[in-house]
């Protein structure tokens, strides 16, 4: 610089080169301060207690660009219970302690305490966050997390406008009543949710489409803005991106817009080969982006309907309007809302799911696996209590988080024997289990770092004859390739040769259909300890999950507050600086 400064002509050239060089946007730090607390709210026009963040329900939306660092200082303002937040779909590379899973990645944040989550968002997509302690997602602890491409980069599809939808289910009974009922002998089930919420808003015991259904009561919306429908405002003749995430605790949903086709372009933060459909099925834990063209009669509005699938629908559909501006939102559509497909039409559900494939530019799966494990999903009993189990083991998390226990090599913190990797070959998935009793366990599946792992999720009959439920499974810390689905029992000889290695979709959540199987493949390349579980909250509460670990010795320093419980707390007191390598 000294030599340039001595030559006026060179200095002018240097300054000009700076002026014409495209600016490179540097990653930013997105900083948030949150307080989690219970508060009175009327999500469906009936006042209730909800779990909110900074006085909001749902919680604040986080929006960042790829490469940005998100920092959330979370203070627990609950009086009698701990809390954690899981950032659903964020891989947490280099920050496994920030995954937000109590007893797995961290200690619960006690009342009055503050814990700081810090992580990098490393890919664009539609994500969300939610509580991951007990059943706090049922209590309303969730919100959206949207990651845009790096500044200056574009998505592989064009759109003019954007709408973000967070779908959830809502009970009038407290989450604590649900938990106690599920843990009782005999089990006491509170039943199906009262309401489907769209961005935290719904209507109970009335309908905004009452004029189309005799006997329906129109909504007075006494709860004001808290339960008024979330109107989807659009302009005519535009391409609109609708981001849709399901944080339901139980319900599988179907999403449709009257008179409009949906072009599916993204699933779980990964681009897919675009395809058109009249509606989509979305299971708990899944996210999609669809494009619509607002090319219908611009003087009309159109219904948006979200109905229940895969369970007998005792919950009425959630409804709102696609409002073509400048029409008034009070103008109701000419036709009634779209009909939700029959709840047990699983062939229709499969037809949609089987159409999802990765784009040509998506990462391809390894052609071979190093290890294959089979996970049999069953409903069982334990001393009269109803449980869900995997390979006859019902997961009960230990008081000491696995991540710290493994980092410190504290072998007394959990069972060091690994869970079974298979189930008896003569097991019939079409009848209730001949031995309905299960065991309790907290062992871990350990993988070598970089190992390619296949998981075969096998569904089965429940305790009652001729019953088998849908289970959406979510993997923390990884995306995986969905290699295939099938009915009946998986056969290595028959089905193992027909798996899709050409264009399998990358997902973080996948469904297994009743009495069927789903095959996934992932690379264990993210040092940490990761939950893999059914995303239906009552099922996880009753033991339907497993724990994966890989390369824990490669994990860097873990914040002390993440370890300040159980036997890791004692280890910290003895060696407060560094854990054992």
């Amino acid at each position: 610089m000294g030599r340039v400064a001595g030559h006026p002509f060179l200095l002018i050239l240097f300054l000009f080169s700076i002026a014409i060089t495209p600016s490179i946007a540097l990653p930013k730090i997105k900083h948030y301060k949150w307080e989690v607390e219970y508060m009175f709210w009327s999500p469906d026009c009936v006042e209730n207690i909800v779990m909110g963040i900074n006085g909001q329900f749902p919680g604040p939306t986080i929006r960042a660009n790829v490469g940005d660092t998100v920092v959330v200082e979370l203070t627990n303002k609950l009086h009698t219970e701990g809390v954690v937040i899981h950032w659903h779909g964020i891989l947490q590379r280099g920050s496994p302690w920030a995954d937000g899973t109590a007893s797995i990645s961290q200690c619960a944040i006690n009342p009055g305490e503050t814990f700081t989550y810090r992580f990098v968002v490393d890919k664009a997509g539609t994500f969300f966050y939610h509580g991951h302690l007990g059943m706090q997602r049922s209590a309303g602890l969730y919100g959206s997390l949207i990651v845009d491409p790096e500044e200056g980069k574009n998505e592989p599809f064009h759109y003019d406008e954007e709408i973000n939808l967070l779908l959830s289910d809502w009970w009038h009974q407290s989450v604590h009543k649900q938990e106690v009922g599920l843990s009782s002998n005999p089990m006491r089930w509170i039943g199906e949710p009262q309401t489907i919420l769209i961005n935290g808003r719904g209507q109970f015991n009335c309908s905004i489409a009452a004029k189309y259904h005799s006997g329906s009561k129109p909504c007075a919306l006494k709860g004001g803005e808290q339960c008024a429908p979330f109107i989807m405002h659009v302009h005519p003749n535009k391409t609109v991106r609708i981001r849709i995430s399901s944080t339901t605790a139980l319900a599988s949903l179907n999403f449709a817009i009257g008179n409009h086709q949906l072009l599916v372009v993204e699933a779980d933060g990964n681009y897919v080969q675009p395809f058109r459909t009249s509606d989509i099925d979305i299971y708990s834990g899944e996210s999609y982006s669809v494009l619509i063209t607002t090319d219908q009669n611009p003087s009309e509005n159109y219904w948006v309907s979200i109905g229940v699938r895969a369970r007998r629908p005792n919950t009425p559909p959630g409804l709102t309007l696609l409002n073509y501006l400048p029409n008034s939102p009070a103008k109701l559509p000419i036709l009634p809302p779209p009909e939700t497909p029959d709840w047990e039409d699983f062939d229709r559900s499969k037809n949609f799911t089987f159409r999802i494939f990765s784009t040509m530019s998506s990462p391809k799966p390894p052609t071979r696996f190093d290890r294959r494990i089979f996970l049999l999903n069953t409903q069982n009993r334990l001393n009269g209590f109803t449980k869900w189990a995997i390979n006859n083991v019902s997961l009960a998390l230990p008081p000491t988080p696995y991540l710290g226990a493994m980092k410190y090599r504290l072998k007394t913190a959990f069972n060091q024997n690994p869970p079974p990797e298979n189930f008896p070959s003569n097991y019939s998935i079409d009848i209730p289990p001949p031995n309905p009793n299960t065991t309790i366990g907290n062992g871990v599946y350990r993988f070598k770092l970089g190992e390619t792992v296949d998981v075969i999720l096998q569904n089965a009959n429940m305790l009652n004859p001729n019953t088998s439920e849908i289970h959406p499974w979510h993997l923390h810390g990884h995306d995986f390739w969905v290699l295939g689905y099938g009915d009946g029992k998986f056969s290595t000889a028959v089905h193992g040769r027909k798996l899709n290695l050409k264009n399998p979709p990358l997902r973080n959540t996948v469904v297994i259909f009743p009495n069927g199987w789903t095959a996934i493949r992932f690379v264990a390349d993210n040092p940490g300890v990761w939950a893999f579980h059914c995303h239906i909250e009552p099922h996880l509460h009753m033991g339907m999950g497993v724990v994966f670990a890989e390369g824990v010795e490669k994990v860097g320093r873990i914040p002390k507050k993440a370890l300040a419980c159980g036997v890791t707390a004692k280890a910290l007191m003895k060696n407060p600086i560094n854990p054992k390598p």
Side-chain angles (χ1 to χ4, degrees):
M1 283 295 294
R3 294 204 310 176
V4 171
H7 298 78
F9 180 69
L10 292 178
L11 177 60
I12 292 171
L13 285 177
F14 175 73
L15 294 174
F16 180 73
S17 69
I18 293 177
I20 63 174
T21 300
S23 60
I24 300 175
L26 297 176
K28 298 181 177 63
I29 297 178
K30 303 281 187 171
H31 198 281
Y32 303 87
K33 287 189 176 183
W34 286 358
E35 292 184 347
V36 176
E37 59 188 337
Y38 282 110
M39 57 191 188
F40 287 108
W41 206 264
S42 300
D44 60 358
C45 305
V46 177
E47 188 176 72
N48 218 313
I49 301 294
V50 305
M51 194 173 281
I53 298 174
N54 293 353
Q56 293 180 232
F57 169 76
T61 295
I62 290 178
R63 189 135 199 169
N65 292 89
V66 169
D68 288 348
T69 297
V70 173
V71 180
V72 179
E73 291 184 48
L74 187 75
T75 300
N76 181 0
K77 303 288 283 189
L78 308 173
H79 296 295
T80 58
E81 57 189 291
V83 71
V84 294
I85 298 283
H86 168 56
W87 316 94
H88 188 107
I90 304 302
L91 301 184
Q92 299 294 349
R93 293 190 180 277
S95 54
W97 50 266
D99 189 49
T101 45
S103 294
I104 298 177
S105 64
Q106 70 170 106
C107 301
I109 307 165
N110 291 323
E113 291 183 347
T114 298
F115 182 84
T116 301
Y117 291 99
R118 186 183 185 94
F119 54 90
V120 175
V121 290
D122 56 3
K123 69 172 187 174
T126 304
F127 308 105
F128 59 97
Y129 61 84
H130 61 83
H132 215 293
L133 175 63
M135 296 180 66
Q136 292 178 342
R137 182 156 47 96
S138 288
L141 186 53
Y142 46 75
S144 291
L145 197 169
I146 306 300
V147 182
D148 295 306
E150 299 96 327
E151 291 188 20
K153 292 190 177 181
N154 297 318
E155 308 268 13
F157 43 82
H158 166 78
Y159 55 97
D160 305 300
E161 301 172 3
E162 180 181 313
I163 298 171
N164 182 45
L165 300 180
L166 191 63
L167 310 181
S168 54
D169 42 15
W170 182 247
W171 283 262
H172 291 167
Q173 298 89 338
S174 76
V175 64
H176 303 298
K177 185 173 182 179
Q178 295 188 55
E179 290 175 334
V180 172
L182 293 170
S183 303
S184 296
N185 182 9
M187 185 186 80
R188 296 170 61 175
W189 172 234
I190 64 170
E192 303 300 303
Q194 275 66 58
T195 316
I196 300 300
L197 303 181
I198 305 170
N199 286 355
R201 301 178 179 203
Q203 297 79 44
F204 172 70
N205 204 25
C206 67
S207 174
I208 59 174
K211 82 169 193 175
Y212 304 97
H213 306 288
S214 61
S216 294
K217 184 175 70 174
C219 296
L221 300 182
K222 294 180 181 177
E225 282 301 310
Q226 290 183 355
C227 69
F230 175 84
I231 304 297
M232 296 167 53
H233 303 290
V234 296
H235 292 90
N237 299 312
K238 299 291 184 182
T239 299
V240 182
R241 179 183 190 171
I242 306 175
R243 300 179 184 264
I244 312 165
S245 298
S246 175
T247 185
T248 56
L250 178 70
S252 302
L253 301 174
N254 178 268
F255 175 92
I257 303 176
N259 288 50
H260 290 74
Q261 287 281 298
L262 312 176
L263 183 69
V264 181
V265 294
E266 177 213 349
D268 294 353
N270 295 285
Y271 302 125
V272 300
Q273 292 182 25
F275 66 94
R276 294 192 183 278
T277 179
S278 60
D279 54 90
I280 67 169
D281 281 347
I282 181 167
Y283 304 100
S284 177
E286 292 187 329
S287 295
Y288 289 99
S289 281
V290 300
L291 302 182
I292 65 168
T293 303
T294 54
D295 56 0
Q296 299 302 299
N297 185 344
S299 64
E300 301 294 337
N301 293 327
Y302 301 88
W303 286 114
V304 179
S305 179
I306 297 102
V308 173
R309 299 277 273 134
R311 298 181 68 88
R312 191 176 298 279
N314 294 326
T315 310
L319 295 173
T320 189
L321 287 179
L322 187 73
N323 171 218
Y324 272 45
L325 296 173
N327 298 330
S328 167
K331 184 177 183 179
L332 295 182
I334 298 174
L335 299 174
E339 288 284 339
T340 300
D342 182 71
W343 71 274
E344 55 184 349
D345 184 355
F346 293 113
D347 287 339
R348 184 186 177 108
S349 301
K350 294 171 185 177
N351 287 338
F352 168 74
T353 302
F354 298 169
R355 295 178 67 189
I356 301 172
F357 297 104
S358 66
T359 61
M360 293 293 292
S361 60
S362 296
K364 298 294 186 287
T367 56
R368 300 177 183 272
F369 63 88
D370 300 309
R371 190 165 161 192
R372 174 176 280 172
I373 63 175
F374 295 79
L375 301 181
L376 175 69
N377 295 238
T378 57
Q379 190 183 46
N380 300 81
R381 297 198 190 281
L382 180 71
N383 300 325
F385 293 89
T386 304
K387 295 288 184 181
W388 287 96
I390 304 301
N391 294 349
N392 209 46
V393 178
S394 185
L395 179 65
L397 295 173
T400 302
Y402 292 103
L403 184 65
M406 290 187 179
K407 184 70 176 177
Y408 277 79
R409 300 179 186 173
L410 303 173
K411 295 186 178 181
T412 61
F414 62 93
N415 189 343
Q416 296 299 300
N417 295 319
E421 298 198 5
N422 210 330
F423 58 93
S425 60
N426 62 350
Y427 187 93
S428 175
I429 67 165
D430 298 317
I431 61 174
N435 174 18
N437 296 316
T438 187
T439 57
I440 294 290
N442 58 23
V444 176
Y445 294 94
R446 301 176 192 243
F447 304 121
K448 296 177 183 177
L449 194 61
E451 195 171 20
T452 297
V453 181
D454 276 12
V455 179
I456 310 299
L457 289 161
Q458 179 67 65
N459 211 343
N461 200 96
M462 297 163 60
L463 287 169
N464 294 326
N466 303 313
T467 56
S468 183
E469 290 190 357
I470 269 182
H471 301 291
W473 274 73
H474 170 58
L475 178 58
H476 294 225
H478 305 78
D479 282 343
F480 51 74
W481 292 274
V482 184
L483 302 185
Y485 306 84
D487 297 323
K489 188 190 290 188
F490 180 86
S491 165
T492 300
V494 177
H495 304 120
R497 300 175 181 177
K498 300 178 181 179
L499 298 178
N500 177 17
L501 299 180
K502 179 183 177 182
N503 55 0
L506 264 176
R507 304 295 299 264
N508 63 55
T509 303
V510 71
V511 63
I512 40 173
F513 291 103
N515 295 107
W517 57 266
T518 297
I520 68 170
R521 178 170 294 177
F522 72 96
V523 179
D525 60 356
N526 191 5
V529 185
W530 309 105
F532 183 41
H533 62 90
C534 179
H535 211 260
I536 292 177
E537 200 157 53
H539 293 180
L540 175 59
H541 180 77
M542 299 163 72
M544 199 175 201
V546 296
V547 178
F548 293 163
E550 66 220 44
V552 177
E553 71 280 358
K554 302 289 187 182
V555 173
R557 184 174 295 183
I558 304 169
K560 292 180 181 179
K561 286 186 177 181
L563 306 176
C565 62
V567 294
T568 47
K570 297 177 182 178
L572 274 173
M573 292 177 65
K574 292 180 180 179
N575 183 11
I577 301 177
N578 287 305
K580 295 178 182 179

